[in-house]
Amino acid sequence: MIDTATEMRSVVVEREIPYPPEKLWRALTQPHLIEEWLMKNDFKPVAGHRFNLRRDPQPNVSVVVDCEVLEVEPNKTLSYTWAAYGLESVVTFTLTPIGTGTHLRMEQAGFRPDQHQAFKGAKAGWLQFLAALEKLLTRAD
Amino acid sequence: MNAQDVLFRTLADPTRRALFERLCREGEKTVGALTARAGVSQPVVSKHLGVLKQAGLVRDRHQGRETHYSAQLVALVPLVDWTREMAGFWESRFDDLEDLLKRMDQ
């Protein structure tokens, strides 16, 4: 029971990318490149830097994520907090060189009910966030 | 309010969440047993259990004078759905990331 409960509190997405870590790192850390694949942003690869990720999938729908850079280890690890609509989590990208390119691992963790912030203020915002995400996903298809 | 809304609102309260987690960990319990370690009075525990029950997170069973409560993990399904959606979000972002990397070559 507990295993199931723990499991659903983090999201892990892994992928093998046919490019070296250095190139992938640029895409993860340069604002104009981040915008191309994730969201508009004012990111800086500096621990402690606070920034926003923003996307407006429709004129009246904005997805705004509040973030703070936690860890920057060039070409290896990048992590930042990810807070939107009462949800606080930590997103960590881990890059590992492999023969043909880079193994990219993204973990988003911190949805544990025992982490007080995670569920604070959750309400209608969740629906908005999910609706916005769903639109993004549809558009990405 | 839909199921997701109710679920997150219900679990937002730390005392209520602790009661629910204890039922998840330790199985069925009476109100008395839950009160003994809850750090709040029995009426408060009962009130929280009522809210959990309304959200479908616990079920009660009457036996003699006692009411036994147990966790209903199926009520957490909306949370699983959320996780699945988030995973889908990152998968599609990574598709765009790979497209970008291809373009960066040129």
Side-chain angles (χ1 to χ4, degrees), chain A residues 16-34:
Chain A
E16 289 190 5
I17 306 276
Y19 298 99
E22 292 74 19
K23 180 169 180 173
L24 185 52
W25 184 257
R26 280 168 54 209
L28 295 181
T29 56
Q30 295 185 4
H32 70 285
L33 296 176
I34 296 170

